[in-house]
mmCIF file of all heavy atoms in Angstrom:
data_model
loop_
_atom_site.group_PDB
_atom_site.id
_atom_site.type_symbol
_atom_site.label_atom_id
_atom_site.label_comp_id
_atom_site.label_asym_id
_atom_site.label_seq_id
_atom_site.Cartn_x
_atom_site.Cartn_y
_atom_site.Cartn_z
ATOM 1 N N ASN A 111 -8.429 16.708 2.090
ATOM 2 C CA ASN A 111 -9.691 17.242 1.581
ATOM 3 C C ASN A 111 -9.478 18.215 0.425
ATOM 4 O O ASN A 111 -10.267 19.136 0.219
ATOM 5 C CB ASN A 111 -10.481 17.926 2.699
ATOM 6 C CG ASN A 111 -11.975 17.974 2.406
ATOM 7 O OD1 ASN A 111 -12.523 17.095 1.740
ATOM 8 N ND2 ASN A 111 -12.648 19.000 2.901
ATOM 9 N N ILE A 221 -23.826 21.267 7.258
ATOM 10 C CA ILE A 221 -23.861 20.048 6.448
ATOM 11 C C ILE A 221 -23.533 20.415 5.007
ATOM 12 O O ILE A 221 -24.127 21.331 4.441
ATOM 13 C CB ILE A 221 -25.249 19.391 6.527
ATOM 14 C CG1 ILE A 221 -25.541 18.937 7.955
ATOM 15 C CG2 ILE A 221 -25.350 18.215 5.559
ATOM 16 C CD1 ILE A 221 -26.981 18.529 8.167
ATOM 17 N N GLY A 222 -22.586 19.699 4.415
ATOM 18 C CA GLY A 222 -22.213 19.943 3.028
ATOM 19 C C GLY A 222 -22.487 18.740 2.158
ATOM 20 O O GLY A 222 -21.968 17.649 2.420
ATOM 21 N N ASP A 223 -23.307 18.929 1.132
ATOM 22 C CA ASP A 223 -23.574 17.840 0.182
ATOM 23 C C ASP A 223 -23.407 18.327 -1.258
ATOM 24 O O ASP A 223 -24.084 17.849 -2.166
ATOM 25 C CB ASP A 223 -24.973 17.248 0.403
ATOM 26 C CG ASP A 223 -26.096 18.280 0.237
ATOM 27 O OD1 ASP A 223 -25.832 19.402 -0.240
ATOM 28 O OD2 ASP A 223 -27.253 17.956 0.588
ATOM 29 N N LEU A 224 -22.480 19.285 -1.431
ATOM 30 C CA LEU A 224 -22.235 19.877 -2.753
ATOM 31 C C LEU A 224 -23.524 20.411 -3.350
ATOM 32 O O LEU A 224 -23.792 20.253 -4.533
ATOM 33 C CB LEU A 224 -21.578 18.857 -3.700
ATOM 34 C CG LEU A 224 -20.240 18.277 -3.263
ATOM 35 C CD1 LEU A 224 -19.721 17.283 -4.289
ATOM 36 C CD2 LEU A 224 -19.201 19.375 -3.029
ATOM 37 N N ASN A 251 -24.759 23.676 3.480
ATOM 38 C CA ASN A 251 -23.994 24.254 2.371
ATOM 39 C C ASN A 251 -23.792 25.762 2.545
ATOM 40 O O ASN A 251 -23.735 26.507 1.575
ATOM 41 C CB ASN A 251 -24.709 23.969 1.037
ATOM 42 C CG ASN A 251 -24.883 22.503 0.766
ATOM 43 O OD1 ASN A 251 -23.914 21.760 0.625
ATOM 44 N ND2 ASN A 251 -26.131 22.050 0.702
ATOM 45 N N TYR A 254 -19.478 25.674 4.331
ATOM 46 C CA TYR A 254 -18.712 24.755 3.488
ATOM 47 C C TYR A 254 -19.682 23.794 2.800
ATOM 48 O O TYR A 254 -20.403 23.055 3.461
ATOM 49 C CB TYR A 254 -17.709 23.941 4.314
ATOM 50 C CG TYR A 254 -16.670 24.775 5.023
ATOM 51 C CD1 TYR A 254 -16.822 25.127 6.364
ATOM 52 C CD2 TYR A 254 -15.527 25.210 4.353
ATOM 53 C CE1 TYR A 254 -15.868 25.894 7.018
ATOM 54 C CE2 TYR A 254 -14.564 25.972 5.003
ATOM 55 C CZ TYR A 254 -14.739 26.311 6.329
ATOM 56 O OH TYR A 254 -13.787 27.072 6.979
ATOM 57 N N ALA A 255 -19.664 23.777 1.475
ATOM 58 C CA ALA A 255 -20.560 22.883 0.735
ATOM 59 C C ALA A 255 -19.968 21.491 0.559
ATOM 60 O O ALA A 255 -20.667 20.569 0.120
ATOM 61 C CB ALA A 255 -20.887 23.479 -0.630
ATOM 62 N N GLY A 256 -18.701 21.338 0.924
ATOM 63 C CA GLY A 256 -18.030 20.051 0.703
ATOM 64 C C GLY A 256 -16.846 20.246 -0.217
ATOM 65 O O GLY A 256 -16.823 21.169 -1.046
ATOM 66 N N ALA A 257 -15.855 19.379 -0.074
ATOM 67 C CA ALA A 257 -14.651 19.501 -0.892
ATOM 68 C C ALA A 257 -14.272 18.113 -1.433
ATOM 69 O O ALA A 257 -15.135 17.323 -1.794
ATOM 70 C CB ALA A 257 -13.524 20.147 -0.098
ATOM 71 N N GLU A 258 -12.980 17.811 -1.437
ATOM 72 C CA GLU A 258 -12.494 16.636 -2.152
ATOM 73 C C GLU A 258 -13.073 15.323 -1.648
ATOM 74 O O GLU A 258 -13.389 14.436 -2.440
ATOM 75 C CB GLU A 258 -10.966 16.585 -2.086
ATOM 76 C CG GLU A 258 -10.339 15.409 -2.832
ATOM 77 C CD GLU A 258 -10.575 15.432 -4.333
ATOM 78 O OE1 GLU A 258 -10.961 16.496 -4.867
ATOM 79 O OE2 GLU A 258 -10.378 14.376 -4.977
ATOM 80 N N CYS A 259 -13.214 15.161 -0.341
ATOM 81 C CA CYS A 259 -13.659 13.857 0.167
ATOM 82 C C CYS A 259 -15.031 13.468 -0.359
ATOM 83 O O CYS A 259 -15.240 12.332 -0.775
ATOM 84 C CB CYS A 259 -13.643 13.865 1.702
ATOM 85 S SG CYS A 259 -11.974 13.862 2.398
ATOM 86 N N VAL A 260 -15.975 14.402 -0.354
ATOM 87 C CA VAL A 260 -17.313 14.054 -0.847
ATOM 88 C C VAL A 260 -17.371 14.115 -2.367
ATOM 89 O O VAL A 260 -18.130 13.370 -2.994
ATOM 90 C CB VAL A 260 -18.407 14.944 -0.213
ATOM 91 C CG1 VAL A 260 -18.494 14.680 1.278
ATOM 92 C CG2 VAL A 260 -18.185 16.411 -0.482
ATOM 93 N N THR A 261 -16.565 14.984 -2.975
ATOM 94 C CA THR A 261 -16.523 15.037 -4.441
ATOM 95 C C THR A 261 -15.947 13.744 -5.004
ATOM 96 O O THR A 261 -16.462 13.183 -5.979
ATOM 97 C CB THR A 261 -15.658 16.228 -4.903
ATOM 98 O OG1 THR A 261 -16.219 17.440 -4.398
ATOM 99 C CG2 THR A 261 -15.590 16.296 -6.418
ATOM 100 N N GLN A 274 -20.655 15.810 4.052
ATOM 101 C CA GLN A 274 -19.655 16.397 4.937
ATOM 102 C C GLN A 274 -20.341 17.049 6.125
ATOM 103 O O GLN A 274 -21.353 17.722 5.976
ATOM 104 C CB GLN A 274 -18.845 17.448 4.170
ATOM 105 C CG GLN A 274 -17.838 18.210 5.006
ATOM 106 C CD GLN A 274 -16.990 19.141 4.167
ATOM 107 O OE1 GLN A 274 -16.183 18.696 3.367
ATOM 108 N NE2 GLN A 274 -17.181 20.445 4.326
#
Side-chain angles (χ1 to χ4, degrees):
N111 204 31
I221 296 169
D223 59 11
L224 301 180
N251 301 297
Y254 299 97
E258 181 64 16
C259 289
V260 295
T261 300
Q274 176 175 292

